Amino acid sequence: MIYIEEEIDRIMAQNKIYLQKDLNLPQLSVLLTIPTHHLAYFFSAYKKMTFSDYRTILRIEYAKELMIGHTTNNLTLEGIALLSGFSNRNNFTQSFKKVEGTTPSSFITACNK
């Protein structure tokens, strides 16, 4: 499990593949040369979440970095969503609120204070 976690952390940090809109577990499996069922077990038993939830958390963290770093001054929420790997603003807003407990707009407002 530790090896799988290290490999996932490495590829996510180096390549930021979580920003790819269509990234799924089978694709990650191919990139890591680890069987899909091993990865599925890793996420459910070890991480206690689905791969989709894990990917969403990474995307939200990336979006927060963009917002905190004030690199979003010229970007709309739609732009931040697309740069963060989400397919649209609505999906981004729903996911952000689920993970952070607040909307992206409220988060940006709080960061600017």
Side-chain angles (χ1 to χ4, degrees):
M1 291 294 172
I2 293 171
Y3 170 76
I4 292 174
E5 183 171 41
E6 288 173 351
E7 287 300 297
I8 291 170
D9 289 346
R10 179 188 57 77
I11 199 166
M12 294 297 181
Q14 287 178 355
N15 301 36
K16 295 190 192 283
I17 61 170
Y18 55 88
L19 298 176
Q20 298 173 11
K21 286 184 182 85
D22 60 346
L23 180 67
N24 59 33
L25 199 58
Q27 290 171 330
L28 181 62
S29 172
V30 169
L31 291 170
L32 295 175
T33 63
I34 297 172
T36 304
H37 65 279
H38 288 191
L39 292 176
Y41 178 79
F42 168 80
F43 282 106
S44 66
Y46 189 73
K47 288 292 218 184
K48 306 287 190 228
M49 67 177 75
T50 65
F51 171 71
S52 179
D53 289 341
Y54 174 77
R55 181 188 63 207
T56 297
I57 290 168
L58 291 177
R59 288 175 175 177
I60 295 298
E61 289 303 315
Y62 182 80
K64 285 170 46 183
E65 288 175 19
L66 292 176
M67 292 182 237
I68 291 169
H70 301 289
T71 57
T72 59
N73 291 341
N74 297 325
L75 290 175
T76 62
L77 283 180
E78 181 80 24
I80 295 167
L82 295 176
L83 285 175
S84 301
F86 292 94
S87 56
N88 59 57
R89 178 183 171 170
N90 290 339
N91 184 275
F92 170 60
T93 301
Q94 289 173 345
S95 297
F96 196 95
K97 187 162 184 165
K98 180 180 174 186
V99 172
E100 293 297 319
T102 187
T103 65
S105 297
S106 297
F107 183 83
I108 290 171
T109 301
C111 287
N112 289 333
K113 287 186 178 181

